[in-house]
């Protein structure tokens, strides 16, 4: 593993996390995105804030990080600090507190095919228009808007992941005050930008 990491990221490597992994300048990098919903922490009606604990599942292929597993003791996967790897710069656009980024830069899993898988956690406060006319039996429709902060749709093609048609609730902890009814996803293009909503 050490020999492989040195080969991919060492001093003699030309790899740079600043460079988008496109073979040609006009090529798009497809990024699969899904949302794991861990907890609905709170809904503040007066301030119109939805506070959530989520994990942002992202997957893409970086051809520069592929290797022949036969050359490295049949090693199929390595874990690398996120700062060492190019990332698609996906953020929450409708944040309410100026916290756009994830809470922890977890390791990126890199497979011998060059496929990169990143699942960082985040605690977000997003804006949510609150309608209290039916209080205390009200239903609220709050969306979270994700997109790449610096790349347009010609550079990064953000698509909904295979299991991301709805937010993934595998580790969801129910709220004592609010019930999550549904969390469908949708992809929207706006000019040369692409967003995924949950």
């Amino acid at each position: 593993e050490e020999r492989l990491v040195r080969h991919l990221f060492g001093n003699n490597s030309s790899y740079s996390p600043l460079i988008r992994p496109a073979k040609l300048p006009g090529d798009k990098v497809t990024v699969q995105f899904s949302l794991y919903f861990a907890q609905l922490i709170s809904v503040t009606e007066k301030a119109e804030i939805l506070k959530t604990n989520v994990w942002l599942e992202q997957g893409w292929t970086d051809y520069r990080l592929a290797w022949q597993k036969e050359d490295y003791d049949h090693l199929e996967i390595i874990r690398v600090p996120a700062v060492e790897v190019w990332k698609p710069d996906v953020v929450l656009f409708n944040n309410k507190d100026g916290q756009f980024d994830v809470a922890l830069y977890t390791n990126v899993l890199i497979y011998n095919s060059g496929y990169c898988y990143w699942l960082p956690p985040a605690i977000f406060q997003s804006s949510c228009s609150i309608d209290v006319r039916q209080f205390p039996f009200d239903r609220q429709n709050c969306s979270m808007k994700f997109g790449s902060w610096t790349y347009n749709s010609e550079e990064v093609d953000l698509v909904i992941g295979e299991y991301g048609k709805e937010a993934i609730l595998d580790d969801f902890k129910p709220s004592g005050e609010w019930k999550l009814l549904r969390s469908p996803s949708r992809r929207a293009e706006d000019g040369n930008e692409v967003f995924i909503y949950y």
Side-chain angles (χ1 to χ4, degrees):
E1 188 172 346
E2 183 180 351
R3 184 167 60 91
L4 174 59
V5 170
R6 243 193 258 125
H7 167 73
L8 294 173
F9 300 101
N11 293 336
N12 294 330
S13 169
S14 62
Y15 183 84
S16 170
L18 304 176
I19 300 171
R20 188 173 60 94
K23 288 185 179 179
L24 299 171
D27 289 352
K28 292 182 185 181
V29 177
T30 300
V31 176
Q32 293 193 354
F33 179 85
S34 298
L35 184 76
Y36 279 76
F37 209 137
Q39 186 179 14
L40 195 164
I41 298 171
S42 65
V43 177
T44 308
E45 290 94 342
K46 189 172 183 179
E48 297 190 319
I49 296 174
L50 171 71
K51 188 172 184 180
T52 53
N53 179 357
V54 297
W55 305 336
L56 309 181
E57 182 181 57
Q58 300 165 65
W60 65 92
T61 298
D62 190 330
Y63 73 95
R64 303 165 299 170
L65 298 177
W67 69 88
Q68 295 295 322
K69 61 184 176 180
E70 295 77 20
D71 296 340
Y72 295 94
D73 300 320
H74 296 275
L75 195 60
E76 294 182 4
I77 184 173
I78 58 174
R79 290 148 187 86
V80 177
V83 296
E84 302 291 334
V85 179
W86 176 88
K87 293 172 295 306
D89 205 14
V90 173
V91 299
L92 175 69
F93 271 73
N94 64 325
N95 77 78
K96 191 81 170 183
D97 63 352
Q99 179 62 42
F100 292 87
D101 211 353
V102 298
L104 177 67
Y105 271 68
T106 56
N107 284 346
V108 176
L109 278 62
I110 304 173
Y111 294 83
N112 64 295
S113 63
Y115 181 74
C116 299
Y117 178 84
W118 193 37
L119 186 66
I123 294 179
F124 286 133
Q125 294 190 56
S126 52
S127 58
C128 176
S129 297
I130 303 291
D131 180 2
V132 293
R133 288 179 289 181
Q134 302 293 322
F135 181 82
F137 304 105
D138 50 323
R139 289 182 179 211
Q140 304 301 333
N141 185 4
C142 300
S143 293
M144 300 173 79
K145 177 183 178 182
F146 295 95
S148 178
W149 189 252
T150 55
Y151 295 103
N152 66 37
S153 60
E154 296 301 313
E155 299 165 318
V156 168
D157 186 20
L158 195 61
V159 299
I160 297 168
E162 183 179 355
Y163 302 106
K165 304 298 183 226
E166 296 244 351
I168 300 164
L169 304 175
D170 293 355
D171 293 294
F172 182 70
K173 294 168 187 61
S175 163
E177 187 176 353
W178 293 92
K179 181 178 179 183
L180 181 65
L181 299 177
R182 290 187 64 228
S183 186
S185 64
R186 69 180 171 88
R187 183 179 183 273
E189 292 189 38
D190 183 8
N192 67 347
E193 294 181 304
V194 61
F195 302 103
I196 292 181
Y197 292 85
Y198 276 93

